[in-house]
Amino acid sequence: MGNRAAAFATAVPVTVPVTVSPTVVPVTAVPPTAPSRPAQAGPAAGLLEAVPRLPLWFFGFEAVLAASFDIIKAFPQAWPALVLVGLVNITVSLTVLRGRLRLAKALWRGKGTRKVAVGLVAVRLGSHLLLGALGLGITSTLGHVGFALVMAALTVGLLAWTQRTALRALGAA
């Protein structure tokens, strides 16, 4: 949350004597209303200054790849499109978002992102196994499309949350 007192700072005129010659001239100064953020030290400061956030649309690539199992189950002829999405993801990562690649690498090194990746795999396998054990296995095209949409939404939401949490921990959010 931060310092609430600093958020509601008021401008109070201050008279400061300034010596120009042998006479003293009063000067009225107004202190800044917003406190400046303390300077960060270490490698986190360089990362925060040099790298902006990954845009939310970028996580859409990962969402499509996370939903690819159900997309292929629903539409077996869609695998070339999924390969194309994977190639576009790599191309965009290495060109348009080249400067943000450091942030992506830093996020992948974090425990939170690895937990999200393992959690998504566990949700995928666990839900299909559980539904299959209950005799409610997803076999219809509509069921796989629905499951793909759920996995895509989970992926985007969790990756955006992980990025926000990591940046907040570094002091950027």
Side-chain angles (χ1 to χ4, degrees), residues 37-139:
R37 197 173 252 200
Q40 300 239 345
L47 178 65
L48 292 177
E49 293 169 5
V51 181
R53 300 172 186 246
L54 291 170
L56 192 60
W57 59 262
F58 179 72
F59 297 136
F61 289 119
E62 280 71 24
V64 169
L65 296 176
S68 64
F69 175 80
D70 285 302
I71 292 171
I72 287 181
K73 288 288 188 177
F75 309 105
Q77 67 277 15
W79 69 267
L82 293 175
V83 170
L84 182 65
V85 167
L87 292 174
V88 169
N89 183 12
I90 292 170
T91 304
V92 168
S93 297
L94 296 176
T95 57
V96 176
L97 300 176
R98 181 74 178 163
R100 298 175 184 179
L101 203 55
R102 288 179 52 200
L103 176 61
K105 287 179 184 177
L107 287 175
W108 271 111
R109 280 186 234 132
K111 286 183 183 178
T113 308
R114 287 192 300 250
K115 286 180 183 178
V116 166
V118 170
L120 287 170
V121 170
V123 166
R124 154 78 58 225
L125 295 176
S127 59
H128 278 292
L129 289 174
L130 180 65
L131 289 172
L134 295 174
L136 302 171
I138 298 175
T139 56

Side-chain angles (χ1 to χ4, degrees), residues 132-159:
L134 295 174
L136 302 171
I138 298 175
T139 56
S140 69
T141 300
L142 186 59
H144 283 293
V145 168
F147 214 90
L149 290 173
V150 168
M151 288 303 296
L154 268 174
T155 301
V156 170
L158 289 174
L159 288 177

Side-chain angles (χ1 to χ4, degrees), residues 20-35:
V20 177
S21 61
T23 63
V24 175
V25 179
V27 176
T28 303
V30 178
T33 57

